[in-house]
Amino acid sequence: MAKVDDAGNEGIKLIQFTQDFKLSEYAIHVLLDMGLSMGIFGCKDEPYRLDKTGYFLLYDDVAFKNLNFVDDVCYQGLFDQQ
């Protein structure tokens, strides 16, 4: 997320991700699509930009901790329940 935020209003293209990370283009594309559906990123045509949800996950400590709490306690707790 920080890499997308650093790109600012220009955004970042898929090819730039493939040059910086050791993942296939397909893997990066799947992760970015997941981020689009979650509202973390926004995309018109090609450049990806940080959206509101991504901004708060990146800069708001309470939002980040709340997301981890829900994952660790609520969702993972369901799997441990017998």
Side-chain angles (χ1 to χ4, degrees):
M1 282 190 296
K3 183 160 192 66
V4 177
D5 187 45
D6 290 342
N9 288 333
E10 287 182 23
I12 188 167
K13 295 186 177 196
L14 181 64
I15 192 71
Q16 291 170 289
F17 278 110
T18 59
Q19 293 169 351
D20 294 339
F21 298 106
K22 294 182 180 180
L23 294 172
S24 69
E25 185 177 328
Y26 175 75
I28 293 171
H29 190 70
V30 168
L31 292 171
L32 288 171
D33 279 346
M34 196 175 357
L36 284 170
S37 67
M38 295 170 60
I40 295 173
F41 304 115
C43 180
K44 287 189 177 179
D45 296 328
E46 170 68 35
Y48 291 88
R49 294 175 185 84
L50 201 63
D51 210 353
K52 288 181 184 179
T53 304
Y55 177 83
F56 282 105
L57 288 175
L58 192 58
Y59 292 109
D60 186 10
D61 196 40
V62 174
F64 183 76
K65 288 179 180 177
N66 186 36
L67 181 72
N68 285 328
F69 174 82
V70 169
D71 180 49
D72 294 341
V73 175
C74 300
Y75 288 114
Q76 293 300 321
L78 289 173
F79 294 107
D80 295 335
Q81 198 175 39
Q82 303 268 335

